Amino acid sequence: MNSAPLSIVITGEVDHGKSSVVGGLLIETGTVPQSQIEKVKQICQKSGKEFEPAFLLDAFEEEQNLGITIDISQIHFATAARNYRLIDSPGHRDFLKNMVSGSSAADAALILVDAQSGVTEQTRRHCYLLKLLGIKTAIVLINKIDLFQYAEDSFLKVQADCQAFLNQLGLAVSVFIPLSAKFGVNLSRLSDQTPWYRGPTLLQALDQISFSKAPESAPVRFSVQDVYKTTDRRVIVGRVESGRIEKGAELKIWPSGQKIKVATIEKWNAPQVQRADQSDCVGITLVEEAFVERGKVIAPVPSDSSVTEYFQATIFWMGKERARIGDSFKIKLLTQEMECKIESILGIVDTNSLKQVQMSGDFIDRNEVADVRIRLSSPLFMDVFQEINASGRFVLIQDYRVVGGGIVTQTRAASVMESLKAAKELRHVTESWWRSFLKATSWRLSGFIATYVLVFWFTDNKKMALTIGGVEAFSKILLFFIHERIWNHFSIGKKEIQPVVVWFTGLPCAGKTTLAEKLYEKLKQEGLKVEHLDGDRVRSLFPMSDFSREGRDSHVQRVGFLASKLAQNGVFVVASFVSPFASGRRFVRGICPRFIEVYVSTPLVVCEQRDVKGMYKKARQGKIDHFTGVSDPYEVPSNPEVVINTQELSVEQSVDLILNALKKLEPAAVRRKWTW
Amino acid sequence: MGDHLDELEAYSVFIIREAFAKIKNLGMLWSVGKDSTVLLWLARKAFFGRVPFPLIHVDTSFKIPEMIQYRDHFVKEWGMQLVVGQNKKALAEGMNHTKGRLVCCTALKTVALQEVIQAQGYQGVLLGIRRDEEGTRAKERVFSPRGKAFEWDFKDQPPELWDQFQTDYPADVHVRIHPLLQWTELNIWEYILREKIPVLDLYFSKNGRRYRSLGCAPCTASVESNASTVQEIIEELKSTHLSERAGRAQDQADSHAMQKLRVKGYM
């Protein structure tokens, strides 16, 4: 067995001696062939420079002349314990995007700090980015301690500074090591120069890093790269980004949500494959064919993740131009690609103080980190980065170039769930039993005192006053209890209003809005609180909703959510939406406890004759895509509470029919039992 | 997964499939050396045995004869489409390594490659270079754009985050795709052993010498070695301190020879 190398990125401010540490490591582990060291030494001689281990990596002439690293370099080395892939990243601010590129591929980080200059702004920025990119383990190297005659207190001072910042950031440090890369101190052997240091050498510290892969039990995420068709079959190729796929697994294709079952898992010139784990690249075939293409994600029914067109993220900006609110980009998340917009910038993160600074404008500058809200032109499948890394990170592309990288911090579903939870809590604000008891006692006590005072005043007899007061207090408590229990069984004069959501669905021009408006008026006349939500009016509030199946469904879901919230707060809702898909309507029914679906069944021919806004005509001419009834399907409700045929019934008659259904609706009230 | 070769294989297959899905007109450079033959094998893995794009061979006319025989044999056996690029004009004018190794490499390899890319209209070319070969290759991206004049803008390479490669390009840019960047020389041989990939006999020791890296006959020297099987080569590599390209004369022609060649579009 040949285990994979651990990828380590080394970061540090320019001139802190990063490439020297790397060069030193390579020489001490015997990685660099002597011939290569000789070659670099020759080059140095020719150009009259002193040999530096850094030149082994800084291969570009410009890098050696300037003495800086421009781009990342990767080099392999091995200790007795394991193999490493070391990623040397540039420290200079101008090349931050290269540092991010290098770090995004790493499992752990070496953070290099110069003992002389200590923790600088750039060090802090690097640490912040490492944390953002998901690095979990770090080793801090405090270099150039030779400049302080190897004094312990100068090391401890820098260590304390680092520790404070990294704790605040939440980046775990396994060890702090005093180093002098130039003199090979504590790289592979503990030096006599630092007798006070008893920790591991750099190489030992590396070998001590424990790194565990995500468990196989993690939720499955399979990103579809392509579909290869041969004469008799279709093989879906892609990568397992999380979890494990097994033969026979029942999953779904997202964002559409179509069910599939895995028939086979395929690799060429390899033994039979039964399962595929994280980072495996395989082909899969399905038991029953389904529509799949590049850019889909295969996953089980997501619990914490969602298909969403609106989410919150933290992004790192690498574009030459500033990013502004309203700017459009292409987003790439797994193999999904979509147009998107920055809808709002919530704040720029000050990587120095770790505080979110107040917005100074509405833009993000190069190398800045910002919290933003992003709106997609159509929903994508994604997870919150903390939950599943691979499906919670993305890049932004503008004019062919990657201009930003980001992680998903909150998806729409997450925020909806939170507000639903909050709503439930609100409804629990009632009197607790002990409060009622206290109130009852204090009321009775004041009654008793009043009786006592009155009787004493008239009779001047303390004993009698006390007895009458006591009997009165006790008997009234008992009487009240019995009286209440008896009244509980009579509903005379009791009025309980439980709001209902009345949902009109049907083809465009079927007459939904007309009926809804009439019903709205009727309910209003009854003195009820009522709201009318209409398709056309609400559309203008959600301008980004498109007319694809997903777009329409999430639109209906949003309106349904709003309706359910209104109903929860005692408002009747009359909603009139084409809502062509059963899935969207089912969602709304699910979240509204008292729900009436009214299917306005006007046939297509009649609707088309009415054509109030000339939309059917345009659709027929091909000027409008996705027009329900013409170029998009309408799924007739299978079990509506009310069906209205507008050709046979007048508006008045129709509304009466709906009011009848409202009256018949079972109260969702609590049943009372005869209890004493 | 757990075996490192499985991981390397999966990652390379991922890259090859990304390239095929996103880049319109694709070709794969096949020098017939061990690396690009492993790359070809990985392409066969990615597409279940049938490679959907042509192989490009840049023939300098100075290649060792066995290399051409080997090439033609496997093109036939594996059912590949082969496109041969050659700078005929330079050859007619008598170009060879005595005019200067860097001049010769640029004319017969870089220019020949440019011509074939232009003639065939390739938007992307898959190449089998590795980071551990030499310093400037260590700094390469997986998807590495080349401008109109084929130059490599190494000072401003696109960010590559989380395997999100730059896959969209304007029409006048072509992209070099490097699926083997992560591999080491040792990994290549271990994979050849595991997959039983047929490689050229020139790599195996004859009379105490073998080729470790293959190029043109006049500029490629063999190295001292007794390794005559793949297994023996693996053992040898685990103990050697000589660099892989030590036998390649063009690398030694100038302090920054590879940078100078590669900035202009050398592989």
Side-chain angles (χ1 to χ4, degrees):
Chain A
M1 185 85 123
N2 207 336
S3 68
L6 191 73
S7 291
I8 312 261
V9 66
I10 176 161
T11 68
E13 166 104 76
V14 67
D15 288 337
H16 282 201
K18 194 165 33 63
S19 294
S20 303
V21 172
V22 178
L25 264 181
L26 300 182
I27 293 171
E28 302 230 359
T29 51
T31 308
V32 186
Q34 202 55 42
S35 61
Q36 202 173 329
I37 300 178
E38 289 309 318
K39 189 185 150 197
V40 176
K41 280 188 176 162
Q42 272 174 21
I43 296 174
C44 291
Q45 231 172 7
K46 269 191 221 165
S47 53
K49 274 180 297 200
E50 198 184 334
F51 169 76
E52 281 205 34
F55 294 159
L56 292 171
L57 288 134
D58 292 335
F60 292 131
E61 199 169 359
E62 288 79 354
E63 292 181 315
Q64 295 184 1
N65 286 342
L66 297 170
I68 59 163
T69 306
I70 292 177
D71 211 331
I72 43 171
S73 189
Q74 295 194 12
I75 195 148
H76 295 257
F77 70 91
T79 62
R82 66 175 157 208
N83 294 320
Y84 293 92
R85 177 187 295 135
L86 188 67
I87 305 163
D88 182 24
S89 73
H92 199 282
R93 195 188 153 99
D94 288 353
F95 307 118
L96 211 56
K97 72 175 168 54
N98 295 340
M99 178 264 164
V100 170
S101 290
S103 306
S104 77
D107 303 318
L110 295 177
I111 300 165
L112 190 72
V113 182
D114 186 323
Q116 202 165 20
S117 37
V119 179
T120 62
E121 191 187 338
Q122 185 72 338
T123 313
R124 292 200 175 97
R125 185 175 287 114
H126 281 159
C127 293
Y128 185 88
L129 291 171
L130 290 172
K131 170 79 181 163
L132 187 70
L133 291 164
I135 299 268
K136 291 185 183 72
T137 319
I139 294 173
V140 177
L141 308 174
I142 298 174
N143 193 25
K144 300 190 190 174
I145 51 158
D146 50 296
L147 298 177
F148 292 92
Q149 287 76 46
Y150 304 98
E152 186 180 10
D153 40 335
S154 50
F155 165 74
L156 290 176
K157 196 177 151 284
V158 180
Q159 177 180 351
D161 272 3
C162 274
Q163 187 88 67
F165 178 76
L166 292 167
N167 280 351
Q168 200 187 347
L169 186 61
L171 189 66
V173 178
S174 59
V175 63
F176 290 83
I177 307 176
L179 273 195
S180 167
K182 199 172 168 189
F183 299 104
V185 166
N186 299 337
L187 283 177
S188 64
R189 271 160 291 130
L190 284 183
S191 167
D192 296 339
Q193 303 277 13
T194 53
W196 43 266
Y197 176 72
R198 288 176 201 87
T201 63
L202 173 52
L203 285 181
Q204 284 167 344
L206 285 172
D207 285 346
Q208 283 165 8
I209 294 175
S210 62
F211 181 72
S212 55
K213 276 202 149 185
E216 286 133 17
S217 58
V220 175
R221 300 287 182 264
F222 180 83
S223 60
V224 177
Q225 285 188 282
D226 219 331
V227 179
Y228 298 151
K229 289 161 214 152
T230 58
T231 42
D232 55 336
R233 27 192 249 132
R234 289 154 55 88
V235 183
I236 303 162
V237 296
R239 182 158 75 173
V240 182
E241 306 284 352
S242 161
R244 164 182 279 183
I245 287 196
E246 283 177 285
K247 259 170 94 165
E250 287 183 24
L251 297 159
K252 283 186 168 188
I253 302 166
W254 298 96
S256 68
Q258 198 186 351
K259 270 191 193 160
I260 54 159
K261 190 173 177 186
V262 177
T264 59
I265 299 176
E266 318 234 335
K267 272 186 182 177
W268 182 76
N269 197 39
Q272 274 268 314
V273 189
Q274 296 297 323
R275 64 188 69 85
D277 287 332
Q278 190 180 338
S279 61
D280 264 338
C281 252
V282 292
I284 58 177
T285 61
L286 304 180
V287 174
E288 267 174 64
E289 288 302 332
F291 177 68
V292 194
E293 60 182 346
R294 180 181 167 83
K296 303 284 178 206
V297 181
I298 293 177
V301 181
S303 48
D304 303 303
S305 57
S306 69
V307 172
T308 181
E309 55 187 280
Y310 188 57
F311 65 98
Q312 208 165 302
T314 303
I315 63 171
F316 168 61
W317 190 250
M318 297 179 276
K320 284 180 183 140
E321 309 284 325
R322 306 175 143 166
R324 290 173 188 282
I325 292 176
D327 277 358
S328 291
F329 307 96
K330 183 159 94 173
I331 186 172
K332 274 175 95 178
L333 194 154
L334 296 178
T335 52
Q336 305 175 100
E337 291 181 27
M338 188 59 63
E339 291 302 315
C340 73
K341 260 185 188 160
I342 295 182
E343 195 167 76
S344 52
I345 298 172
L346 304 170
I348 306 288
V349 181
D350 178 354
T351 50
N352 208 16
S353 67
L354 295 181
K355 285 189 187 109
Q356 198 185 74
V357 293
Q358 279 297 307
M359 281 302 308
S360 50
D362 18 67
F363 54 83
I364 310 164
D365 264 325
R366 189 175 197 191
N367 293 339
E368 276 182 339
V369 175
D371 289 323
V372 296
R373 286 215 181 96
I374 294 177
R375 189 177 279 288
L376 303 161
S377 64
S378 197
L380 289 183
F381 181 96
M382 66 182 70
D383 290 287
V384 170
F385 181 74
Q386 291 295 340
E387 310 279 337
I388 301 176
N389 289 1
S391 41
R393 57 200 182 191
F394 58 89
V395 293
L396 298 172
I397 294 159
Q398 196 175 38
D399 296 331
Y400 306 109
R401 299 205 67 134
V402 172
V403 286
I407 60 165
V408 179
T409 53
Q410 201 177 44
T411 57
R412 185 183 51 114
S415 51
V416 169
M417 289 315 288
E418 270 163 32
S419 19
L420 279 175
K421 250 184 248 166
K424 268 183 203 152
E425 277 156 19
L426 264 182
R427 299 175 80 191
H428 282 291
V429 182
T430 53
E431 297 236 317
S432 62
W433 66 267
W434 61 267
R435 184 184 160 86
S436 309
F437 182 78
L438 271 181
K439 274 167 79 180
T441 314
S442 83
W443 173 236
R444 276 295 100 209
L445 199 67
S446 39
F448 163 76
I449 292 165
T451 309
Y452 176 87
V453 170
L454 279 172
V455 173
F456 184 70
W457 192 35
F458 284 114
T459 63
D460 207 18
N461 184 339
K462 273 187 197 169
K463 206 176 168 187
M464 187 189 262
L466 198 68
T467 315
I468 294 177
V471 168
E472 202 236 349
F474 178 74
S475 62
K476 280 199 176 166
I477 291 175
L478 198 70
L479 269 173
F480 181 79
F481 182 78
I482 296 167
H483 185 258
E484 277 291 294
R485 288 296 167 282
I486 291 167
W487 266 101
N488 268 352
H489 296 282
F490 304 102
S491 54
I492 303 163
K494 210 164 145 183
K495 199 173 179 183
E496 193 171 6
I497 298 162
Q498 286 182 317
V500 182
V501 174
V502 183
W503 191 277
F504 290 85
T505 170
L507 290 167
C509 303
K512 299 181 296 296
T513 306
T514 316
L515 288 173
E517 267 163 7
K518 193 75 196 167
L519 179 66
Y520 172 76
E521 275 168 32
K522 283 260 173 166
L523 292 172
K524 197 118 205 175
Q525 279 164 16
E526 298 269 338
L528 296 166
K529 280 196 270 181
V530 53
E531 191 58 69
H532 178 202
L533 302 173
D534 183 64
D536 289 347
R537 265 174 280 162
V538 173
R539 270 278 173 194
S540 59
L541 287 174
F542 298 122
M544 290 283 284
S545 311
D546 67 13
F547 291 86
S548 69
R549 191 183 187 98
E550 291 85 354
R552 281 178 185 276
D553 264 356
S554 56
H555 184 65
V556 166
Q557 284 172 14
R558 271 195 295 261
V559 175
F561 175 68
L562 183 62
S564 76
K565 297 293 281 184
L566 284 167
Q568 263 173 15
N569 288 291
V571 182
F572 279 70
V573 180
V574 178
S576 44
F577 291 83
V578 176
S579 46
F581 301 118
S583 51
R585 297 190 301 255
R586 206 179 312 122
F587 174 88
V588 183
R589 185 185 285 274
I591 59 170
C592 300
R594 283 158 63 81
F595 182 78
I596 286 184
E597 189 174 58
V598 181
Y599 171 41
V600 186
S601 69
T602 319
L604 180 64
V605 220
V606 182
C607 295
E608 202 163 347
Q609 275 166 8
R610 292 180 188 164
D611 204 6
V612 193
K613 286 169 277 177
M615 301 286 272
Y616 277 98
K617 203 175 160 198
K618 280 188 195 160
R620 290 288 180 207
Q621 289 164 349
K623 285 180 190 163
I624 306 172
D625 280 335
H626 292 298
F627 192 79
T628 304
V630 178
S631 45
D632 229 23
Y634 176 82
E635 296 170 4
V636 174
S638 54
N639 213 359
E641 275 75 8
V642 185
V643 182
I644 305 279
N645 185 337
T646 54
Q647 286 169 288
E648 285 175 9
L649 298 174
S650 71
V651 176
E652 284 290 341
Q653 286 170 319
S654 306
V655 170
D656 283 343
L657 211 61
I658 298 161
L659 287 172
N660 267 334
L662 271 175
K663 278 171 199 154
K664 273 192 274 171
L665 202 64
E666 281 278 323
V670 202
R671 286 221 191 110
R672 284 183 186 83
K673 285 184 193 158
W674 181 273
T675 46
W676 285 93
Chain B
M1 296 246 290
D3 187 79
H4 183 35
L5 289 179
D6 283 339
E7 276 184 30
L8 287 170
E9 179 192 82
Y11 191 53
S12 300
V13 164
F14 175 79
I15 294 164
I16 294 167
R17 284 175 179 161
E18 282 295 290
F20 182 63
K22 294 295 296 180
I23 309 291
K24 267 187 216 128
N25 198 352
L26 204 61
M28 177 184 280
L29 205 61
W30 187 35
S31 73
V32 311
K34 60 184 192 319
D35 302 311
S36 57
T37 305
V38 163
L39 180 60
L40 173 52
W41 192 264
L42 289 165
R44 298 181 76 207
K45 284 250 176 194
F47 305 107
F48 303 97
R50 195 197 62 87
V51 180
F53 40 73
L55 300 177
I56 309 160
H57 182 78
V58 174
D59 188 356
T60 58
S61 84
F62 292 104
K63 295 279 173 193
I64 303 167
E66 285 101 312
M67 293 170 76
I68 305 297
Q69 288 162 18
Y70 169 89
R71 178 191 83 187
D72 294 341
H73 175 79
F74 282 103
V75 161
K76 212 171 146 194
E77 185 171 323
W78 292 340
M80 300 290 162
Q81 191 198 333
L82 181 74
V83 175
V84 177
Q86 198 167 51
N87 189 349
K88 294 209 170 81
K89 189 165 161 270
L91 284 170
E93 287 163 7
M95 173 58 73
N96 66 59
H97 65 284
T98 59
K99 311 246 161 148
R101 293 194 201 274
L102 300 192
V103 177
C104 180
C105 270
T106 302
L108 297 186
K109 289 171 117 180
T110 312
V111 174
L113 177 62
Q114 283 176 12
E115 283 176 355
V116 72
I117 288 175
Q118 252 154 11
Q120 302 285 330
Y122 293 126
Q123 269 223 302
V125 181
L126 292 147
L127 278 91
I129 64 161
R130 308 188 324 266
R131 286 206 171 104
D132 76 330
E133 282 182 273
E134 53 85 35
T136 67
R137 284 180 182 162
K139 293 182 181 268
E140 269 287 3
R141 294 288 191 267
V142 177
F143 278 61
S144 179
R146 301 301 147 109
K148 224 178 200 164
F150 287 72
E151 79 290 2
W152 179 36
D153 187 4
F154 64 88
K155 284 184 200 160
D156 189 17
Q157 299 201 67
E160 253 173 22
L161 271 77
W162 308 306
D163 301 341
Q164 290 292 4
F165 312 115
Q166 187 180 337
T167 51
D168 298 321
Y169 297 98
D172 57 352
V173 171
H174 86 271
V175 56
R176 303 273 175 92
I177 301 136
H178 305 130
L180 297 184
L181 273 190
Q182 305 269 46
W183 296 57
T184 63
E185 189 185 9
L186 187 61
N187 297 148
I188 292 285
W189 283 108
E190 285 169 339
Y191 192 67
I192 288 171
L193 180 71
R194 186 182 96 170
E195 298 284 317
K196 301 184 183 68
I197 304 171
V199 290
L200 272 162
D201 271 345
L202 295 166
Y203 285 113
F204 303 111
S205 172
K206 264 181 218 104
N207 308 322
R209 295 193 80 80
R210 72 176 194 93
Y211 288 95
R212 202 164 149 199
S213 173
L214 288 175
C216 298
C219 297
T220 309
S222 55
V223 294
E224 261 181 51
S225 165
N226 288 318
S228 58
T229 62
V230 177
Q231 190 68 58
E232 282 170 18
I233 289 175
I234 291 170
E235 291 310 314
E236 182 189 276
L237 286 177
K238 283 181 177 167
S239 57
T240 187
H241 276 280
L242 204 63
S243 86
E244 182 184 2
R245 293 181 64 89
R248 301 295 285 274
Q250 67 268 36
D251 292 32
Q252 275 74 42
D254 181 289
S255 303
H256 294 281
M258 281 312 268
Q259 180 181 346
K260 283 170 186 165
L261 281 169
R262 301 199 70 245
V263 163
K264 287 185 193 149
Y266 187 83
M267 305 73 181

